[in-house]
Amino acid sequence: MNQNRQNIFKVLLLGHPPKECLDSINRIAKSVEFSHCKLIKVDDFEHAEGEIANLADGVILFHTSENDIINIKNFVKTRNKLNPDIPIVTLLSDEAENLNIKEVLTTDVNDVVICKNELWLESILSKYFFRKVNNANINIKSDFNSYLTHINKLHYEFPFGLVRVALFPEIHVEYINKEAERILGYSLKQHQDQPELSSRFLPKERIKLVIENAGTGNDFLKKKIKLSTGQENVKWVEATYIPGYKYNDDYKSIEVVLRDITDEEIDKVLQKSVYDIARMTSSNFSLNRVYIIIHKIVSDLINIDNFYIALYNEDSNELTFPYYIDLYDTPPSPRKLGNGLTDYVLKNGKTFLYKPDAPEHRHYKRNIDIAGTIPKIWLGVPLRYYNKVIGVLAVQHYSNPNAFGDREKYILEFFSEQIARTVDYKRKTESIKLLSTAVEQSPVSIVITTLKPEIVYVNSTFTRVTGYEPGEVMGKNPNILQSGQTPKERYIELWDAITAGNSWSGEFINKRKNGEIFYEESIIVPITDEIGKNAYYLSIKIDITEKIKLINDLVLAKERAEESDRLKTAFLQNISHEIRTPMNAIVGFAEILENDHDNEEKISYYTNVIKQRSYDLLDIVNELLDISRIESGQLKAEPKPFELEGIFTDLLQTFEGYKVRMEKQDVEIRLVPLPPNVSRVIISDEAKLRQVFSNLIHNAMKFTHKGYIEFGFHELNNDNIVFRVSDTGIGIPTDMQDKIFERFQKSSPKGVIYDGLGLGLTIVQSLINLLGGKIWLESEVEKGTTFYFSIPYKPENKIEKETQQTINHTQLQKLKLLVVEDDTFNVAYFNELFSSLGIEYQIESTGSDAINHFRDNNDYDVVLMDIKLPDISGYEVIKEFKKINPEIPIIAQTAYAAEADREKAIKSGCVDYISKPIFRDKLLALLQKHLVYK
């Protein structure tokens, strides 16, 4: 009796398993077959430690309901420390059922049971009973043979497969239970007739691995294998390999425990695919990429020869096949809806499994057109989203009519839902992306606000137009753009419209981030929710600043055009007056000279008047030529070193004489000299600087009747030298000071008309611009005006002076001169001039006559050539002269006075150039210069 108590088999239960599990354990423990066992319940680790330390024979049932492998590991450590030989069977319930059993076994527990599987639990307890009953002297009350019969029956009915593979004398299947036959697809007899079938679940290399692992404390080897059954269907199986009976240190067999985990694997794959497809759907993956991945997943789950996805366009009643992979056939082209298998599923909206050779399916052949290679079995499921069929997912097999069943229907229906959702999402996403891109890249500003209103979206054009980045305006009121220049009534009108659910359009005068004012044309519309209530406001804004500017410019241009017409009319009237006035004096005094030429004093006076008025006419012509050259861009600066004081001295002398002629004795002319620190020689365009001073002083003389005119140096300012011309004249009104530099503008008091075309200051400003400077003024009516102008200060140390040549009349009398001139009065002038000086000369009036004459008489000292001739150009004549005598000096004379004309004459072969009117002394100096040159 004592011995029996010592050898009693104890079942130590630690934890609180669910009622169903506890009831099963209690029932098993109370059965006759387990009468040698004693069930001991322990609530916690502390009480369990004493029992485990004193446990001589038995098994520990450790229950956990948490999905936490750490608890199991900690308990194993306790067992290993107190009693390492006692086996542990882990009971899993609730969340713990999701634990990876393979990972649980790696914690060094001996077995794992899902609590709700009573047969599994009973078989595991039986397993540990037999291990002990063979090694202990236990008094079993029941008949052992009947117990073995019970165990064999139990094994055959186990919910997992049991296979015993004998290793000697050759490898063969010795035992197989009912579940193993179902899982493997072959019976015991088939395995015995075809020994090679065992390699499907137990290849030779695995046998070696199982035996090597035996005795290492890791007796069990677990593998997950994928099997194709005799019907070519796919199964996933969890195989546990246990070394069997050992004799003379050789293992004679291997026990293989098989568990069909196909549904679990499929569920895992499907669950994972939900995540993967959702991730792909929300990513930038294309639909084709999604199709490829789904195809791979389905191919792993189902044995298929063909996989395709067809999409239906309701508007065009057309089927397209964006993804089509087939063993034999090529992808079909888009087509109208017809009578194919795909069309049948679309029309009926239900899954359809079709076997062409099945008797129950033969009637479909009359109503369904099958294109391409005829399969043995075809399975199609509708792609349905929100009760609308948008396409079909189909698979087929060409050799196995039993390839598809309920499981395959379930798989395809699962994926059809995912594909339909993805296609719909991608379509909407593409549409949203297109709209989003259109909105973001729109050339107009887009703003969306809440009803408060607060900005929730702006596009890139808004940023470009306003200068505000999105982060700077999000959550802000759109009134941050207000400039205060838009009428308040417009905002009242706007809110009345949009709060009533109507759209509004109008213009705003807004302000950019940098404070710049801009004009906006806006359309604002309410965005309603699903029940038609205002949810947001959408603003479409067009920057019309340039448009407004253009309109204003057009209005201004119109006003300027009208002003220009008025000015042109006034100019024509003015120029008529300006020309006729001196001409009246010229013609009048010329007529008087005809009749009154005895009084030398009067003759001198008349002659001086004619000359002065001729100079005035020449000034008018020069002004017109200057403005023409300025506007055409022909006038350019020619900087060279020159003496400033020379300009000042010449101007002082000139205008002292002019003052006398203009009878301005009450006006004093003052010169502001250069200070010692300013170089007397600078680099600039002397002629243009002289003309600027001359025009400004001339203006001052015109408008100053008493007081003084002061001109000359003002200051050095940075890298510029500043000059000034001041007067005590009539002054310029404030409203005219900005206009005075415009063409044809003249500032005159009412009732007083001053001579001039109104071009002088326009020319001055243009000349100063050419010199790289600027001009400004200070003026007060009746007190006078001061013009300031600056040019770049470029000092020079010295300048080479040209020696003034004195005209030698004796030497000129040795000159032999050919003159080509067609104007009768000019010919008369040259006859009078050259004959009075005793110069030998010949005048030809046409280009042809000149060439013919020069052929026979080419020994002239100088040729004075008119460029504009009645028959041919003077340049053509020069060309012919140079052919006859390349050394002949030719001086061009023309009424054109532009610099470009001078350059053209020099390039054509002339040695010099003189413009009309030709003054006596200037012409004689030029002739003498080239006579000496010769």
Side-chain angles (χ1 to χ4, degrees):
M1 189 72 175
N2 291 336
Q3 186 179 3
N4 288 340
R5 284 179 181 170
Q6 285 179 346
N7 294 327
I8 195 165
F9 189 82
K10 295 181 179 179
V11 178
L12 184 64
L13 175 60
L14 173 61
H16 301 85
K19 184 177 183 304
E20 296 81 3
C21 183
L22 186 58
D23 289 346
S24 296
I25 294 172
N26 285 328
R27 186 185 58 75
I28 294 169
K30 291 176 182 177
S31 64
V32 176
E33 293 84 355
F34 289 86
S35 59
H36 63 291
C37 300
K38 180 182 179 182
L39 179 64
I40 303 171
K41 297 178 184 177
V42 184
D43 291 333
D44 52 45
F45 275 10
E46 186 177 349
H47 292 90
E49 288 180 358
E51 294 289 345
I52 295 171
N54 297 318
L55 189 61
D57 197 11
V59 62
I60 302 171
L61 303 181
F62 173 63
H63 169 263
T64 181
S65 60
E66 297 179 1
N67 192 351
D68 188 356
I69 204 80
I70 300 298
N71 287 336
I72 302 172
K73 289 182 178 180
N74 290 336
F75 183 71
V76 170
K77 288 179 182 178
T78 302
R79 188 279 311 265
N80 291 345
K81 180 174 67 173
L82 299 175
N83 201 338
D85 295 329
I86 299 299
I88 298 175
V89 176
T90 304
L91 307 178
L92 307 178
S93 69
D94 298 336
E95 290 185 12
E97 291 180 5
N98 295 323
L99 283 170
N100 186 329
I101 292 177
K102 180 179 178 181
E103 186 179 359
V104 175
L105 289 169
T106 62
T107 64
D108 209 17
V109 300
N110 297 80
D111 228 315
V112 181
V113 178
I114 300 295
C115 284
K116 55 186 165 186
N117 194 323
E118 187 175 329
L119 283 175
W120 190 357
L121 177 62
E122 187 173 353
S123 64
I124 291 297
L125 292 177
S126 300
K127 168 183 172 181
Y128 288 101
F129 167 75
F130 281 116
R131 174 181 291 182
K132 292 301 178 183
V133 81
N134 291 330
N135 297 318
N137 183 15
I138 299 176
N139 181 18
I140 302 175
K141 296 179 181 179
S142 61
D143 180 67
F144 188 67
N145 289 330
S146 65
Y147 182 72
L148 288 177
T149 302
H150 171 76
I151 292 301
N152 286 336
K153 181 182 178 184
L154 193 64
H155 279 195
Y156 194 73
E157 296 296 331
F158 272 170
F160 43 82
L162 294 175
V163 183
R164 183 181 301 115
V165 179
L167 304 180
F168 296 99
E170 66 274 330
I171 299 171
H172 65 280
V173 176
E174 190 175 68
Y175 170 81
I176 186 169
N177 73 347
K178 182 172 64 174
E179 178 64 7
E181 286 184 346
R182 187 193 69 79
I183 292 173
L184 298 175
Y186 297 97
S187 65
L188 176 61
K189 186 177 184 309
Q190 287 174 308
H191 277 94
Q192 290 172 343
D193 292 341
Q194 304 174 63
E196 69 276 4
L197 289 176
S198 64
S199 64
R200 296 165 62 241
F201 61 91
L202 185 60
K204 289 182 179 180
E205 60 272 12
R206 196 164 299 159
I207 294 173
K208 181 180 178 182
L209 184 60
V210 171
I211 293 173
E212 287 176 353
N213 282 357
T216 63
N218 189 18
D219 292 350
F220 297 168
L221 177 67
K222 287 195 175 185
K223 293 288 184 182
K224 184 171 71 175
I225 57 177
K226 183 179 178 182
L227 296 177
S228 293
T229 67
Q231 291 76 34
E232 298 186 11
N233 291 328
V234 177
K235 279 190 176 69
W236 276 266
V237 179
E238 183 184 77
T240 304
Y241 303 96
I242 306 170
Y245 176 61
K246 185 177 182 182
Y247 181 75
N248 289 337
D249 293 330
D250 287 329
Y251 288 94
K252 303 301 182 183
S253 65
I254 292 178
E255 306 290 336
V256 183
V257 182
L258 302 174
R259 188 164 69 89
D260 187 350
I261 59 171
T262 302
D263 291 339
E264 294 176 24
E265 285 299 309
I266 289 175
D267 286 341
K268 285 181 184 178
V269 171
L270 297 184
Q271 288 175 19
K272 185 175 182 299
S273 68
V274 170
Y275 169 76
D276 290 342
I277 294 171
R279 180 174 55 83
M280 290 186 293
T281 300
S282 60
S283 69
N284 291 327
F285 280 27
S286 65
L287 269 175
N288 191 62
R289 181 79 178 275
V290 176
Y291 296 153
I292 291 171
I293 293 173
I294 292 176
H295 178 208
K296 183 180 184 307
I297 296 171
V298 171
S299 298
D300 287 341
L301 299 175
I302 307 175
N303 191 2
I304 57 176
D305 291 335
N306 170 263
F307 176 95
Y308 70 84
I309 293 170
L311 297 179
Y312 176 61
N313 186 322
E314 189 175 13
D315 294 333
S316 62
N317 193 34
E318 190 175 67
L319 269 175
T320 56
F321 299 84
Y323 191 81
Y324 193 98
I325 303 296
D326 193 89
L327 195 62
Y328 301 117
D329 298 333
T330 57
S333 301
R335 60 175 176 81
K336 296 292 183 181
L337 193 65
N339 296 315
L341 289 168
T342 306
D343 313 69
Y344 182 82
V345 175
L346 271 169
K347 292 173 183 176
N348 290 276
K350 296 179 180 179
T351 300
F352 182 48
L353 180 65
Y354 176 63
K355 296 181 181 180
D357 297 333
E360 64 271 22
H361 288 176
R362 285 176 184 169
H363 68 280
Y364 287 115
K365 288 186 177 180
R366 295 190 297 269
N367 301 316
I368 295 178
D369 300 327
I370 299 179
T373 306
I374 299 175
K376 288 292 183 182
I377 188 169
W378 184 93
L379 175 62
V381 297
L383 302 178
R384 187 190 307 278
Y385 198 67
Y386 286 115
N387 294 321
K388 185 175 182 180
V389 179
I390 63 172
V392 173
L393 168 62
V395 295
Q396 58 188 16
H397 206 286
Y398 292 115
S399 59
N400 181 15
N402 299 311
F404 311 142
D406 290 339
R407 188 182 75 183
E408 287 70 30
K409 286 183 182 179
Y410 169 73
I411 293 171
L412 285 197
E413 285 173 347
F414 175 87
F415 279 112
S416 72
E417 184 180 346
Q418 308 305 315
I419 293 172
R421 184 182 295 112
T422 301
V423 169
D424 183 77
Y425 178 84
K426 283 291 185 182
R427 282 177 172 174
K428 288 178 179 176
T429 301
E430 289 298 322
S431 178
I432 291 171
K433 185 178 179 181
L434 180 62
L435 289 173
S436 176
T437 302
V439 169
E440 186 60 28
Q441 297 181 1
S442 171
V444 299
S445 297
I446 305 293
V447 180
I448 300 176
T449 70
T450 62
L451 303 182
K452 285 186 178 182
E454 291 176 349
I455 296 173
V456 295
Y457 172 81
V458 295
N459 67 348
S460 56
T461 304
F462 173 89
T463 298
R464 179 174 56 78
V465 170
T466 67
Y468 286 102
E469 295 293 333
E472 296 177 291
V473 296
M474 289 302 170
K476 300 288 181 64
N477 192 302
N479 62 16
I480 62 172
L481 299 176
Q482 289 183 11
S483 65
Q485 298 183 30
T486 304
K488 292 181 179 179
E489 295 78 11
R490 194 164 300 169
Y491 294 108
I492 297 171
E493 176 191 329
L494 156 66
W495 284 107
D496 287 345
I498 61 177
T499 52
N502 301 318
S503 62
W504 178 88
S505 62
E507 290 183 7
F508 295 119
I509 305 173
N510 281 340
K511 183 172 63 176
R512 306 188 207 274
K513 181 181 177 181
N514 62 5
E516 180 184 341
I517 298 298
F518 71 103
Y519 293 81
E520 254 185 355
E521 189 176 276
S522 294
I523 300 174
I524 303 177
V525 296
I527 302 174
T528 57
D529 57 20
E530 60 275 4
I531 62 174
K533 187 178 178 182
N534 286 1
Y536 296 94
Y537 295 126
L538 169 67
S539 299
I540 302 170
K541 300 168 172 285
I542 304 173
D543 184 353
I544 58 170
T545 306
E546 291 302 318
K547 175 183 173 183
I548 296 295
K549 184 180 177 182
L550 177 61
I551 292 172
N552 290 338
D553 287 347
L554 288 173
V555 171
L556 183 60
K558 178 177 177 292
E559 293 174 352
R560 284 180 175 175
E562 292 172 350
E563 175 69 7
S564 178
D565 287 343
R566 186 189 66 77
L567 289 174
K568 285 177 183 176
T569 301
F571 168 70
L572 291 174
Q573 293 172 345
N574 189 40
I575 197 171
S576 175
H577 171 269
E578 293 297 322
I579 291 175
R580 289 176 182 275
T581 299
M583 283 299 296
N584 182 64
I586 293 170
V587 173
F589 282 105
E591 288 179 346
I592 292 173
L593 278 174
E594 288 181 343
N595 300 314
D596 190 2
H597 47 76
D598 294 331
N599 189 324
E600 291 186 3
E601 184 178 346
K602 287 183 177 181
I603 291 173
S604 175
Y605 174 72
Y606 299 158
T607 305
N608 286 333
V609 170
I610 291 172
K611 285 173 64 178
Q612 179 59 48
R613 301 312 278 165
S614 297
Y615 289 145
D616 292 341
L617 277 177
L618 189 58
D619 287 341
I620 293 171
V621 172
N622 285 336
E623 280 194 354
L624 292 172
L625 288 175
D626 285 341
I627 200 69
S628 173
R629 283 183 291 175
I630 288 168
E631 291 189 348
S632 64
Q634 294 179 1
L635 202 63
K636 301 188 185 318
E638 295 183 4
K640 294 177 183 177
F642 65 92
E643 286 187 354
L644 272 173
E645 289 183 331
I647 292 181
F648 293 160
T649 303
D650 291 347
L651 288 170
L652 190 60
Q653 292 177 353
T654 299
F655 281 98
E656 284 290 352
Y658 184 79
K659 182 177 77 169
V660 174
R661 292 197 302 274
M662 295 292 292
E663 297 179 353
K664 299 260 185 173
Q665 287 84 357
D666 294 335
V667 177
E668 180 187 0
I669 300 178
R670 302 174 184 173
L671 171 64
V672 182
L674 296 173
N677 63 321
V678 176
S679 174
R680 269 52 186 163
V681 178
I682 65 168
I683 298 175
S684 189
D685 189 316
E686 179 182 4
K688 292 178 178 57
L689 182 61
R690 187 185 294 269
Q691 188 176 352
V692 168
F693 270 114
S694 181
N695 282 17
L696 291 175
I697 298 171
H698 188 278
N699 261 11
M701 290 288 291
K702 187 188 300 183
F703 298 109
T704 304
H705 305 296
K706 61 181 178 178
Y708 65 87
I709 295 171
E710 187 175 76
F711 73 95
F713 174 81
H714 179 65
E715 66 177 355
L716 283 179
N717 187 354
N718 296 327
D719 295 329
N720 295 312
I721 183 170
V722 182
F723 303 100
R724 74 170 185 263
V725 175
S726 302
D727 65 61
T728 56
I730 64 174
I732 302 171
T734 304
D735 61 341
M736 285 297 296
Q737 289 180 13
D738 291 334
K739 298 179 181 179
I740 201 68
F741 293 105
E742 296 178 10
R743 291 179 303 168
F744 313 134
Q745 292 286 356
K746 296 167 68 176
S747 176
S748 301
K750 288 184 179 180
V752 180
I753 299 177
Y754 286 90
D755 293 343
L757 299 178
L759 294 174
L761 289 177
T762 305
I763 294 169
V764 164
Q765 187 180 52
S766 299
L767 291 174
I768 291 171
N769 289 339
L770 283 174
L771 296 177
K774 61 181 181 178
I775 184 170
W776 65 99
L777 65 92
E778 294 175 356
S779 184
E780 189 174 346
V781 176
E782 301 300 335
K783 290 189 177 180
T785 303
T786 299
F787 284 93
Y788 302 93
F789 66 93
S790 65
I791 63 170
Y793 178 57
K794 297 179 181 178
E796 186 77 3
N797 291 331
K798 61 180 180 177
I799 184 173
E800 294 183 3
K801 292 186 177 181
E802 292 185 7
T803 56
Q804 293 291 332
Q805 189 175 12
T806 305
I807 297 174
N808 188 328
H809 292 85
T810 304
Q811 193 173 30
L812 284 174
Q813 289 175 353
K814 300 177 181 178
L815 177 68
K816 184 177 182 182
L817 173 66
L818 174 61
V819 180
V820 182
E821 173 63 62
D822 68 311
D823 184 80
T824 304
F825 296 105
N826 284 341
V827 169
Y829 170 69
F830 288 138
N831 279 326
E832 184 67 27
L833 175 62
F834 296 140
S835 60
S836 65
L837 293 172
I839 296 175
E840 182 181 354
Y841 69 97
Q842 173 66 30
I843 298 177
E844 297 291 340
S845 299
T846 67
S848 301
D849 290 344
I851 293 170
N852 292 331
H853 174 79
F854 192 70
R855 250 191 220 106
D856 299 329
N857 305 274
N858 57 22
D859 58 342
Y860 286 98
D861 296 317
V862 178
V863 175
L864 186 62
M865 176 70 66
D866 188 12
I867 296 300
K868 191 174 183 301
L869 296 170
D871 52 349
I872 59 176
S873 167
Y875 294 116
E876 291 294 325
V877 178
I878 293 169
K879 185 177 179 182
E880 292 300 320
F881 275 24
K882 286 293 182 180
K883 288 180 182 178
I884 298 168
N885 182 0
E887 302 298 325
I888 185 71
I890 301 175
I891 298 172
Q893 53 126 349
T894 177
Y896 300 117
E899 186 65 27
D901 296 305
R902 180 182 183 281
E903 292 176 2
K904 187 175 180 181
I906 299 300
K907 285 181 180 179
S908 70
C910 296
V911 294
D912 223 322
Y913 169 95
I914 188 170
S915 61
K916 296 177 180 178
I918 297 174
F919 298 101
R920 175 181 180 277
D921 290 345
K922 187 175 181 181
L923 176 59
L924 295 180
L926 201 59
L927 291 175
Q928 181 170 296
K929 170 185 174 183
H930 293 289
L931 177 64
V932 174
Y933 164 82
K934 183 182 175 184

